[in-house]
Amino acid sequence: MTRIGFIGLGNMGGPMAANLARAGHAVQVFDLVPESLERAIKAGCIVAGDAREAVSGCDLAISMLPAGEHVRGLWLSEGGGQDLLGVLPAGALVIDCSTIDVASARAVGAAAKARGIRFLDAPVSGGVAGAAAGTLTFIVGGESSDFEAAKPVLACMGQNLFHAGALGAGQIAKMCNNMLLAIHMAGTAEALALGVKEGLDPGVLSTIMGKSSGNNWSLERYNPWPGVMENAPASRGYEGGFMTRLMVKDLGLAMALAEHAHSAVPMGALARNLFNLHAAKGQGAKDFSSILELYRDNTDPG
């Protein structure tokens, strides 16, 4: 059994911490949302009074937060940050599973190394369903020896563990993945909307494309048309998934990365504009598959 401090119990972090507790670890958790803490108690986690208490006495700590500013504010002292690195003993391992900018990941990693603390950037893929089922993909940047040390814990939350390279590589790979995800989700929604407007049944069309060259993860595992896939967010009013505003954030990170690399990303830029437009229409809290609604009007069947 390992004593693990876990900060951030949102749609992804909550199920991840619960899976660690189910695996027999002593998981000390903290989140700013009381309802998230209540769910953590039911899952067998130990609720701390604040973030410092959550990582106190731990040789391993995990964070799952919305953006780089939150990660820096948690682990560093700059700008009045909480400086949680100062609470951990030398040799402790910090795994940040947030999807953030590369510069923030590297800044926290450098500060950790200066204190003799190991740090991995380990963003995840697989969505809320994957977090709940313990089938996430972890995309990890950092020292290979630290990755090996983290694998037994990561395996309690995920099935696919990849060492992408040096510190920051996890974030780079995640940005590339999420840019592609946005592109094929937008394309899938566009194709389905076209077919339905011409009288096709969305379930039949999905089955045809799923067995043809147009098949992709969004179509097969996360269908954006309501009622086609029972467990997809689209069939729950686009609730409880990966929020549109977070996809907009990730696409912004990808665009910044592309600018830094002088890399042309015209399809990624178009996807960002589409999701940004969708969020601007008041849909930021809905699952990103709700991009389908951009292609529908009130006369559409289904």
Side-chain angles (χ1 to χ4, degrees), residues 48-152:
D50 56 27
R52 281 182 165 266
E53 184 181 327
V55 301
S56 179
C58 296
D59 290 316
L60 194 151
I62 300 173
S63 51
M64 185 55 148
L65 301 172
E69 62 191 270
H70 305 110
V71 175
R72 296 173 79 116
L74 182 73
W75 296 110
L76 305 180
S77 60
E78 62 181 35
Q82 298 186 60
D83 190 25
L84 258 61
L85 290 177
V87 179
L88 298 172
L93 175 61
V94 173
I95 306 172
D96 179 51
C97 296
S98 317
T99 297
I100 61 175
D101 59 288
V102 178
S104 290
R106 288 175 174 165
V108 176
K113 184 176 182 179
R115 298 190 184 206
I117 295 170
R118 299 172 292 167
F119 181 85
L120 295 171
D121 63 293
V124 303
S125 180
V128 176
T135 59
L136 290 171
T137 294
F138 283 86
I139 310 164
V140 184
E143 296 290 339
S144 58
S145 58
D146 296 339
F147 172 65
E148 291 299 321
K151 283 171 79 172

